[in-house]
Structure formats: structure tokens, C-alpha cells
Amino acid sequence: MQIVTRAERPDLDERAAEVFRERWPEFIFHDHVPKRYLPRAQRWFGRFDVVALDDEGAVLAGGWGVPIAWDGSFDDLPGGYDDALVRAVEGHEVGLPPTTLCFMAAAVGAAHDRRGLAGAVLEELEQRAGADGLAHVVAPLRPTWKDRYPTVPMAEYATWARPDGLSIDPWIRTHQRMGATVLGPARRSMVIAGTVAEWEQWTGMLFPVTRDYVVPGALNLVHVDVEQDRGVYVEENLWVRHR
């Protein structure tokens, strides 16, 4: 396996994007914050945007993160995914020295599960953070199975454990096995808003009345207001700390 940055191999962009799209519901890609900040993050933080290739050069997995300023306390953590991206970009623009790498996402091609590739990508990013003198590594996790329990608060879900003490959730377990500890919920990690028609297009569902809905792939309920022609999804993630 070879690990390269997407900046080194721009020809891999389309396939790497496909790997990420395999793993998330369509509505996730309609968060307005990444649309505004991702181009600058990709320009400035390419060192922390990596893909794993097989011997023939095919994309197996990918992952990326951004450097942020963080004082090490829970209260100073970003609000979640969106806020971490904003903090990284705006901090860089004003010359604020980063102290922390924030893992933003990792994904493995559907045909390559259960090979430890996500952990390998995260370990590569962690090593790069250490080489750059970043003291901490954190992540606002999007737990794999949380969408099965959208009415359960993240703080409670994070305590659900198997007999061996590890989380019931596969993605949380991946981080625990790397030595990560749970810090607490990222209560406003992503906010996705759209018209009723847009939400129906993104989900393949109908939303005939105003109420909170269970939506496949959503970790929390989606509130749809038919009278206002607006649906809003506030996603809660889980902060973990690696070192």
C-alpha cells in the first residue's frame, strides 16, 4: 500500500471523491459551510489530505484533516465539523499558530472493508501532525451506527459498550483501538438547510406535514416546516482525542 496526498496526485480527485460519496447520505453534501471553506482548506492544508493506493494505483481509502488552534480544554473545542473547518481556514488567514490536527473525515472503498485501511490513513495523518509539531489530535466523529438510533442523544449513545468495554459502534471502536478517548458531544457539528423539495430530492422521501422526521442516514431527526418551505437538520457528532 502506498499513501500519497491528493495535491501530489490531482488525477485521483474523482475516484477519491467517489470513495467518500459511497459512505455518506446525499444530504451531507449540501452543507453550505464546506462549499465556502473547502477550496481554501484544500489549497493550504494539502499535506493533511491523503489517499491510500494499492500496488496498481487504485484508490483504496482516503482521509483528511485541518490544523486548528485549540487550548486543550473541552470548552475550547470547535462546535463540530463546520466550526473546525472555519477555525482552521480563518486562523490560517490571520496567522494564528495551530496546535492541533482535527481529523475531518476518512473513508474506505466499499470493496475494501475490514482491512484496517481507515486506521492506516488516520495513523498517517497522526504522524504528519507529530512531524509538524502539533501537540493534539482530535476528531468530531460521525458514528457509523448512530443513524439507527436518531432519537438517542449522542452523550448516551457514546456510553453504550460491548462486554469488552469498547463501544458498540464500529467507528468509535476504530478510534478507541488507536488509543482515543471520548471527550463529549459536538452538539452542532453540521447544519444542513433546504427547501422541502430539496429534502425530498436528497432523501427520496415525501414530507407532507410539518414535523420531525426519521431520515435514513441522519444521526438526528430532521425538522421539516411545510408552511415555511424549509427543512433543517442539525447533526450531533462525538469529539474524541487521540493525543
Side-chain angles (χ1 to χ4, degrees):
M1 184 178 69
Q2 178 188 11
I3 293 183
V4 299
T5 67
R6 290 174 67 176
E8 294 167 338
R9 293 288 307 276
D11 57 300
L12 299 174
D13 278 355
E14 184 175 341
R15 178 54 189 144
E18 290 175 1
V19 169
F20 279 90
R21 281 194 172 271
E22 289 175 351
R23 295 300 187 180
W24 283 285
E26 175 62 29
F27 61 80
I28 285 292
F29 300 101
H30 297 275
D31 182 349
H32 292 294
V33 171
K35 292 179 181 178
R36 292 166 49 204
Y37 285 88
L38 262 179
R40 283 177 282 173
Q42 292 168 339
R43 185 184 319 136
W44 294 325
F45 312 132
R47 172 167 166 72
F48 297 111
D49 187 353
V50 301
V51 292
L53 310 177
D54 67 13
D55 292 339
E56 297 179 354
V59 174
L60 302 174
W64 65 286
V66 292
I68 63 172
W70 178 52
D71 68 10
S73 69
F74 183 78
D75 288 344
D76 191 49
L77 281 169
Y81 177 96
D82 285 351
D83 194 23
L85 185 57
V86 172
R87 186 183 296 194
V89 169
E90 294 187 351
H92 180 85
E93 289 178 339
V94 300
L96 186 64
T99 62
T100 304
L101 179 66
C102 180
F103 293 150
M104 299 296 281
V108 176
H112 306 290
D113 279 342
R114 301 184 183 279
R115 294 174 55 185
L117 293 171
V121 166
L122 295 176
E123 287 172 359
E124 174 68 21
L125 292 173
E126 195 169 32
Q127 290 172 8
R128 289 171 180 248
D132 284 12
L134 300 178
H136 313 290
V137 176
V138 297
L141 301 188
R142 190 173 198 273
T144 309
W145 287 356
K146 178 61 173 69
D147 64 334
R148 303 179 183 187
Y149 311 97
T151 63
V152 177
M154 184 64 76
E156 178 183 349
Y157 181 78
T159 67
W160 293 359
R162 308 187 311 182
D164 63 3
L166 296 177
S167 173
I168 67 162
D169 189 273
W171 192 224
I172 298 175
R173 284 201 306 275
T174 294
H175 289 262
Q176 289 175 325
R177 286 169 174 151
M178 293 177 63
T181 57
V182 172
L183 298 178
R187 300 192 185 281
R188 197 175 176 86
S189 196
M190 302 181 77
V191 179
I192 300 167
T195 65
V196 175
E198 286 174 330
W199 273 101
E200 290 181 342
Q201 178 183 0
W202 299 338
T203 63
M205 296 175 62
L206 295 177
F207 301 104
V209 299
T210 296
R211 62 162 297 150
D212 293 335
Y213 287 88
V214 174
V215 170
L219 309 194
N220 307 96
L221 300 176
V222 176
H223 181 71
V224 176
D225 188 322
V226 174
E227 290 73 27
Q228 297 295 321
D229 190 25
R230 184 172 174 82
V232 178
Y233 172 61
V234 180
E235 178 163 294
E236 189 178 34
N237 289 164
L238 182 68
W239 279 111
V240 300
R241 179 176 183 169
H242 280 249
R243 64 175 177 81

